Amino acid sequence: MGNAMGNANCSSGQCAGNCSQALEGLRQRGPVAALRVVVMPKVSASSSGARHTGFELDDEVAVQRMEVVPGLEPLSWRRNFSVAAGMGSSLDEADILAARKGYSRASSSSPPWLTAELSQQRRHSWRTRILACHPERPDEFVEHQCLMQVPVDPEMRTVESFAQDLKDACVASSYAHQFNLQLTRLRALKELQERNNADVTKIEVGVQVCVPVICEVLGSSMPHFVSTGDFVLVSLLESEQVRKFVFNGEEPFEEMPQAFFHFVASTSSGKELCWDLQGYREPRSGITLLTSPSVKELPAASVGDLFSSVAPGAVPSPGLKLAQQFNVLHPRCTAVCEAFDPDRKGALGKGTFSVCMC
């Protein structure tokens, strides 16, 4: 199982056409797979920071179409790089080149978790069309455009393999809700200044996290790709193109995701970073939708570290390293950043400092 798509190049544009052609015959036979939702994240349905699938626990849904889309390739960069960096894998040359395409900055300025990434679980990322029962009219179906992630290794297609994904999505969506409340306050303040009246009942939504669910495969017409008994990760994804917003500091600067990255670091006093921000900007609403973010917990700098960091010839302290990492990933602040962290200090915790590169 999995051999037909075991080549890591399947997530790249080189073999997208071949994979899609291989699936075309299977699509004519009816649903590609039947799924049942077995694990739901503990995220409030009313959270302004979450974009839910709309599925409920124990819902059974039908996968009508699966396709490999070249625009989803950035989803593989995080895991491919951790392996290509020398962590023991059978990646071929094409795989390594694909990984390096997503990471070319010199290691001296790189976030250390890139080379210390524990998750070497490489995955296929499929754009899927899923049919589910209408929540209010059971005799009707609703079509959902989704992202389905399946580990390349069949042995990794377990509930436990996706536990960190759900945890990161929960934490990130909670921060996104707080961030949207901050945007609402800023908008209200602007309205008060302009016309002495403000609408605080409508939340200003700038960022949402596509919160996934874990599904069990009940049946499959394509067991070489996904088999009965496997567990897969499903989230909403209407776009065919995923962009990196915050990954290695080489991305085009996008104000909303950059402000959100700064907000998480500042709100947590430098204890957490919401990293590998990727997704797309929804055309209709202008909301930045994030998929598969990674939340990193960072150690705090001690008093000794802070003093030793300024001593001649001293090894850079954890606090100074954090400042360097923060500046690489967030080279300048936005107007939103200046509202909640004007001195660019809150993201680094008490006692640490950053050289403002705005």
Side-chain angles (χ1 to χ4, degrees):
M1 180 170 57
N3 291 336
M5 299 211 42
N7 189 336
N9 287 334
C10 267
S11 61
S12 70
Q14 292 181 346
C15 79
N18 294 336
C19 292
S20 296
Q21 291 173 10
L23 288 173
E24 193 60 43
L26 295 170
R27 293 176 186 142
Q28 307 304 321
R29 305 175 188 175
V32 173
L35 310 177
R36 180 175 61 230
V37 180
V38 295
V39 180
M40 295 279 295
K42 295 181 179 179
V43 178
S44 172
S46 62
S47 171
S48 70
R51 180 67 62 92
H52 293 276
T53 59
F55 306 148
E56 299 293 339
L57 191 65
D58 292 326
D59 275 0
E60 295 185 5
V61 300
V63 179
Q64 290 293 102
R65 183 183 180 91
M66 291 174 57
E67 57 184 345
V68 177
V69 179
L72 301 185
E73 181 186 354
L75 292 170
S76 69
W77 290 356
R78 183 199 316 172
R79 292 178 174 84
N80 278 359
F81 177 80
S82 68
V83 181
M87 300 182 68
S89 172
S90 58
L91 285 180
D92 58 27
E93 183 177 357
D95 297 325
I96 296 175
L97 288 175
R100 287 176 178 168
K101 185 167 62 175
Y103 188 88
S104 59
R105 180 173 291 276
S107 59
S108 60
S109 60
S110 68
W113 52 81
L114 266 175
T115 53
E117 180 72 42
L118 297 178
S119 175
Q120 299 183 45
Q121 182 197 112
R122 290 158 58 222
R123 297 176 180 173
H124 297 306
S125 295
W126 307 88
R127 189 167 188 265
T128 58
R129 184 176 67 196
I130 294 180
L131 293 181
C133 288
H134 193 287
E136 298 177 357
R137 298 186 292 275
D139 57 332
E140 297 181 15
F141 290 96
V142 180
E143 181 177 297
H144 302 266
Q145 298 295 334
C146 295
L147 168 68
M148 186 167 78
Q149 298 185 67
V150 183
V152 172
D153 183 356
E155 298 298 321
M156 298 300 293
R157 298 171 190 173
T158 64
V159 170
E160 292 75 15
S161 294
F162 301 118
Q164 190 63 46
D165 294 84
L166 262 62
K167 179 182 177 182
D168 286 349
C170 289
V171 174
S173 63
S174 176
Y175 277 122
H177 179 69
Q178 298 175 58
F179 179 73
N180 292 333
L181 293 179
Q182 174 71 25
L183 294 180
T184 303
R185 287 190 288 268
L186 292 177
R187 186 203 65 206
L189 180 60
K190 182 178 180 180
E191 291 175 349
L192 283 173
Q193 292 173 342
E194 292 179 349
R195 58 176 184 266
N196 297 323
N197 184 27
D199 179 11
V200 294
T201 60
K202 181 182 179 181
I203 295 180
E204 187 80 10
V205 180
V207 170
Q208 287 187 328
V209 176
C210 295
V211 179
V213 297
I214 301 176
C215 297
E216 179 184 6
V217 179
L218 301 178
S220 171
S221 64
M222 37 179 286
H224 285 83
F225 302 121
V226 60
S227 186
T228 301
D230 288 347
F231 291 89
V232 298
L233 195 69
V234 176
S235 58
L236 286 186
L237 184 70
E238 295 186 357
S239 175
E240 295 186 2
Q241 185 78 33
V242 169
R243 298 170 53 197
K244 291 290 189 186
F245 297 125
V246 178
F247 181 60
N248 62 7
E250 296 181 341
E251 309 79 32
F253 191 90
E254 293 280 348
E255 289 198 3
M256 194 60 68
Q258 281 285 342
F260 176 62
F261 173 79
H262 187 163
F263 179 83
V264 173
S266 179
T267 303
S268 68
S269 296
K271 295 178 182 178
E272 290 183 321
L273 289 183
C274 196
W275 171 70
D276 198 9
L277 299 184
Q278 57 195 340
Y280 62 100
R281 189 171 184 268
E282 195 172 46
R284 297 185 303 274
S285 65
I287 296 173
T288 298
L289 292 174
L290 303 176
T291 185
S292 299
S294 178
V295 179
K296 296 298 179 184
E297 297 181 1
L298 304 178
S302 67
V303 174
D305 291 328
L306 296 174
F307 278 104
S308 64
S309 68
V310 297
V315 177
S317 72
L320 186 57
K321 287 181 179 179
L322 173 57
Q324 294 170 336
Q325 294 154 20
F326 181 77
N327 284 330
V328 167
L329 297 175
H330 184 58
R332 65 180 185 272
C333 285
T334 69
V336 176
C337 299
E338 293 170 359
F340 60 77
D341 189 12
D343 297 323
R344 200 176 164 94
K345 294 180 179 178
L348 305 172
K350 296 179 179 180
T352 57
F353 61 92
S354 170
V355 177
C356 184
M357 301 175 68
C358 319

